Amino acid sequence: MTTTENSTVTGERADILHALGKARHFFRFTAQGLTDEQANTQSTVSALTIGGLIKHVAEVERSWGEFVRTGEQSGPDFSEEVEFTPEMIAEWEAKFRLAEGETIAGVLADYEQVAAATDELVRTADLDAGHELPQAPWQPPGEFWTNRRVFLHLVAEIAQHAGHADIIREAIDGQKTMG
């Protein structure tokens, strides 16, 4: 990873940080005032919960941060064909709920740490540097992403899940992020 010499954040980096901050604000807002039980409520037909979405987004940011730093990304190895068993699907869905002993406060605190690490990468990483994406069924082989594209992808990912969380929250108690 190449870093910039100037620690002052302006221009494109400031814009990326602003977009990430705005998306995160609306995402975190969906959890405001929820009990642990409410944060773990499946209020729609999907398996998603607000607590689980926060865990997921933290893991996504953590994984993309690893990619920016090293070119590697945590997750399943798709270098060979994978059969998705019912156990694998159940394990994946469990990641979208608070596990025994997890709290909404705890997952929010973890997300704060991950977000701070991502923000530091936005401030310091060479935005033009990039890496080949790991092999996965949903992306073409041999595709490279710059760090800039990773950060823009994170904005979209967080905003998308903020929308999911907003629908879930509205079904729980009627609260809306906007409007």
Side-chain angles (χ1 to χ4, degrees), residues 20 24 61 113-123 151 154:
L20 282 167
R24 288 179 187 135
E61 277 200 47
Q113 291 178 341
V114 172
T118 300
D119 288 351
E120 184 60 22
L121 284 173
V122 171
R123 287 183 197 93
F151 298 135
L154 284 175

Side-chain angles (χ1 to χ4, degrees), residues 59-81:
E59 184 53 38
V60 165
E61 277 200 47
R62 190 178 282 116
S63 179
W64 281 112
E66 180 181 343
F67 180 79
V68 167
R69 285 187 303 278
T70 69
E72 301 293 322
Q73 205 175 22
S74 59
D77 178 8
F78 290 108
S79 58
E80 299 195 20
E81 192 171 324

Side-chain angles (χ1 to χ4, degrees), residues 78-123:
F78 290 108
S79 58
E80 299 195 20
E81 192 171 324
V82 175
E83 179 183 338
F84 292 97
T85 65
E87 294 80 19
M88 287 175 69
I89 293 168
E91 183 179 316
W92 176 254
E93 287 180 350
K95 293 178 180 183
F96 288 90
R97 293 187 295 277
L98 295 177
E100 185 71 33
E102 288 182 317
T103 64
I104 189 64
V107 296
L108 282 167
D110 178 56
Y111 183 47
E112 287 294 324
Q113 291 178 341
V114 172
T118 300
D119 288 351
E120 184 60 22
L121 284 173
V122 171
R123 287 183 197 93

